[in-house]
Amino acid sequence: MVAFSWEVAYHARWIAPDAILMQWSALWLLCVIRAYHHPQKATWLYGSVIVAGLATGTKYPAGLLLIPTLLLFYWQTKTRLSLIKAGFIFCVTYLMTTPGTLLQPFKFWHQVEFEMWHYSFGHSKHTVSAGLDHLLKNIEYMATVQLSHFSIITIVLFVFSVLGVIQLWRDNRRLSILVFLFPLIYLLFMSLQRAMLIRNLLILVPFMAV
């Protein structure tokens, strides 16, 4: 699916780290699915939370990956202690790869605050209405543009993705929640912003492929 996508290839050339983030989301998916099925699940469990930390350091909205990761830990271990461990590993991984959070806290917060304002205010011709309008535009982009330069190919692949969601829900509801909880929350979160920068949706491509 990625091979068909001109959008992925084009945005991978930008200085913004969204293509790297897309690779983290693919690796996170691997860890989660293996943790769910593999007899020796501990390695994959901890791998999922480490990757979530790396993804968050790459681009902060990826911190939403922690929600399904903690849910996975709870379902697989049934202990609250495991949630504390997972949270600790996540924080350590994030801080080791994003030390400016602690070394330059005021600069860090100022830049985060600026980006929050930037996305809520809009970005030149990439400004849309927050909420339903933005959500529908995001879905339209994913369904008709993101996966191929040719609309018919994109639409067919998108339909297959939707059918895949339905099939996974029928086969294994817990796994489908783990796999699709993040894309749902992330898509809703980005749709609450007024700046529509489509490279932010690259992180969802691996989920569509799965």
Side-chain angles (χ1 to χ4, degrees):
M1 289 183 72
V2 175
F4 278 112
S5 178
W6 183 90
E7 294 285 317
V8 170
Y10 175 76
H11 287 287
R13 299 170 64 187
W14 277 79
I15 193 171
D18 297 274
I20 299 172
L21 193 59
M22 182 185 70
Q23 295 175 68
W24 287 135
S25 72
L27 183 56
W28 182 85
L29 271 170
L30 171 66
C31 291
V32 166
I33 294 171
R34 292 291 284 172
Y36 196 86
H37 290 297
H38 202 279
Q40 297 177 335
K41 58 190 176 187
T43 301
W44 297 102
L45 273 175
Y46 288 113
S48 68
V49 76
I50 289 171
V51 173
L54 293 169
T56 305
T58 304
K59 203 163 185 178
Y60 302 130
L64 294 170
L65 282 170
L66 186 61
I67 298 173
T69 304
L70 291 178
L71 185 60
L72 171 67
F73 265 78
Y74 183 74
W75 279 347
Q76 295 296 79
T77 64
K78 306 297 184 183
T79 65
R80 293 182 180 178
L81 180 61
S82 66
L83 299 181
I84 297 173
K85 283 184 179 179
F88 177 75
I89 293 171
F90 173 86
C91 291
V92 169
T93 304
Y94 166 78
L95 290 173
M96 285 180 65
T97 55
T98 319
T101 306
L102 294 178
L103 298 177
Q104 295 177 306
F106 297 108
K107 185 176 182 179
F108 162 78
W109 177 248
H110 173 73
Q111 291 182 346
V112 170
E113 199 173 35
F114 170 78
E115 288 303 331
M116 290 170 64
W117 170 85
H118 174 206
Y119 272 85
S120 64
F121 181 79
H123 183 82
S124 184
K125 63 181 180 179
H126 302 287
T127 302
V128 298
S129 298
L132 183 61
D133 180 55
H134 193 170
L135 176 63
L136 293 176
K137 282 182 167 61
N138 281 333
I139 294 173
E140 179 185 3
Y141 169 74
M142 294 167 65
T144 63
V145 178
Q146 188 176 44
L147 298 178
S148 174
H149 183 68
F150 302 100
S151 295
I152 184 62
I153 295 177
T154 300
I155 293 170
V156 169
L157 291 175
F158 185 79
V159 169
F160 283 159
S161 292
V162 173
L163 293 175
V165 172
I166 296 170
Q167 186 61 46
L168 184 57
W169 178 257
R170 289 177 175 177
D171 291 344
N172 193 324
R173 293 194 175 182
R174 277 198 170 187
L175 182 58
S176 65
I177 290 172
L178 291 172
V179 170
F180 298 115
L181 182 60
F182 169 77
L184 179 61
I185 297 174
Y186 182 86
L187 190 59
L188 291 175
F189 171 75
M190 295 309 301
S191 297
L192 291 175
Q193 317 305 317
R194 295 192 65 213
M196 183 178 177
L197 302 173
I198 53 178
R199 62 175 179 268
N200 287 309
L201 299 178
L202 289 188
I203 190 175
L204 302 182
V205 172
F207 293 89
M208 296 173 70
V210 168

